[in-house]
Amino acid sequence: EREMVKDALQEVFTDLYLKRSHIHTDIDNLKGYLFTALKNNLLKQILKRKKTEVAAMESVKPELNFKIEYSFQEQLIQSEISKETIQKLHQAIESLSSGQKEIIFLRFEEELDYREIAGILDITIESARKQLYRALKSLRELLDPKSLQLFLHFFSKKLG
């Protein structure tokens, strides 16, 4: 829901501006801080919506359905990679869990290290490593060797 995300982004930056004088700690990783603030804001909005829709139901923390369009799709098209390979990559990524998509996005698209990912997802560094390993293992099982090689080649260029 694009409008909810736009509202959440606006609210994060507004809060940051309004509360700037009250922030006593230094923010070491601004990107990580903003990701965490946005995620928390979206969860708060989803909870509000759930409570108003079903007041009688128990309040349960919803799972944020992490969905992202990876920029590699456009670059692959420009590189004249077959539509079939692009479709395989897209299907493989869509079949991953929301958490797996999120960790791949943070590691490869946002180029965050494991410490930063762990901070955003509120997990240990070792858990971040394991989750990324499992996501890549799932992709390896879903993709043919050519498609997997293309996927890894693209992202290794970004990190290299």
Side-chain angles (χ1 to χ4, degrees), residues 121-155:
L121 299 179
D122 196 27
I123 58 177
T124 66
I125 294 171
E126 187 59 31
S127 291
R129 289 179 199 266
K130 285 181 183 177
Q131 285 184 23
L132 181 63
Y133 170 78
R134 289 181 183 139
L136 292 174
K137 183 179 176 189
S138 295
L139 279 178
R140 198 175 302 124
E141 292 169 359
L142 293 167
L143 292 171
D144 59 81
K146 179 184 172 188
S147 299
L148 180 64
Q149 184 179 15
L150 181 64
F151 176 84
L152 294 174
H153 176 71
F154 173 77
F155 283 122

Side-chain angles (χ1 to χ4, degrees), residues 32-94:
Y33 176 85
L34 292 173
F35 269 116
T36 302
L38 178 62
K39 183 177 180 180
N40 291 339
N41 191 293
L42 286 169
L43 286 172
K44 184 174 70 175
Q45 285 188 28
I46 291 169
L47 281 173
K48 277 184 189 177
R49 184 182 287 178
K50 289 272 186 195
K51 285 179 183 179
T52 58
E53 290 175 358
V54 185
M57 288 183 60
E58 286 184 311
S59 179
V60 178
K61 184 179 176 184
E63 180 180 326
L64 184 62
N65 187 11
F66 192 83
K67 185 170 176 132
I68 190 74
E69 289 290 325
Y70 290 96
S71 63
F72 76 87
Q73 290 173 333
E74 292 172 16
Q75 293 178 9
L76 290 177
I77 291 169
Q78 292 172 358
S79 300
E80 298 179 11
I81 303 298
S82 72
K83 288 182 182 180
E84 181 181 334
T85 303
I86 294 168
Q87 186 177 10
K88 286 179 188 177
L89 285 171
H90 182 69
Q91 287 173 342
I93 289 173
E94 284 301 311

Side-chain angles (χ1 to χ4, degrees), residues 10-47:
Q10 186 76 26
E11 194 170 317
V12 165
F13 284 106
T14 301
D15 286 347
L16 189 60
Y17 178 76
L18 293 174
K19 297 175 183 178
R20 70 187 180 279
S21 62
H22 302 296
I23 298 175
H24 298 291
T25 60
D26 290 332
I27 299 172
D28 294 331
N29 180 359
L30 182 60
K31 195 176 204 179
Y33 176 85
L34 292 173
F35 269 116
T36 302
L38 178 62
K39 183 177 180 180
N40 291 339
N41 191 293
L42 286 169
L43 286 172
K44 184 174 70 175
Q45 285 188 28
I46 291 169
L47 281 173

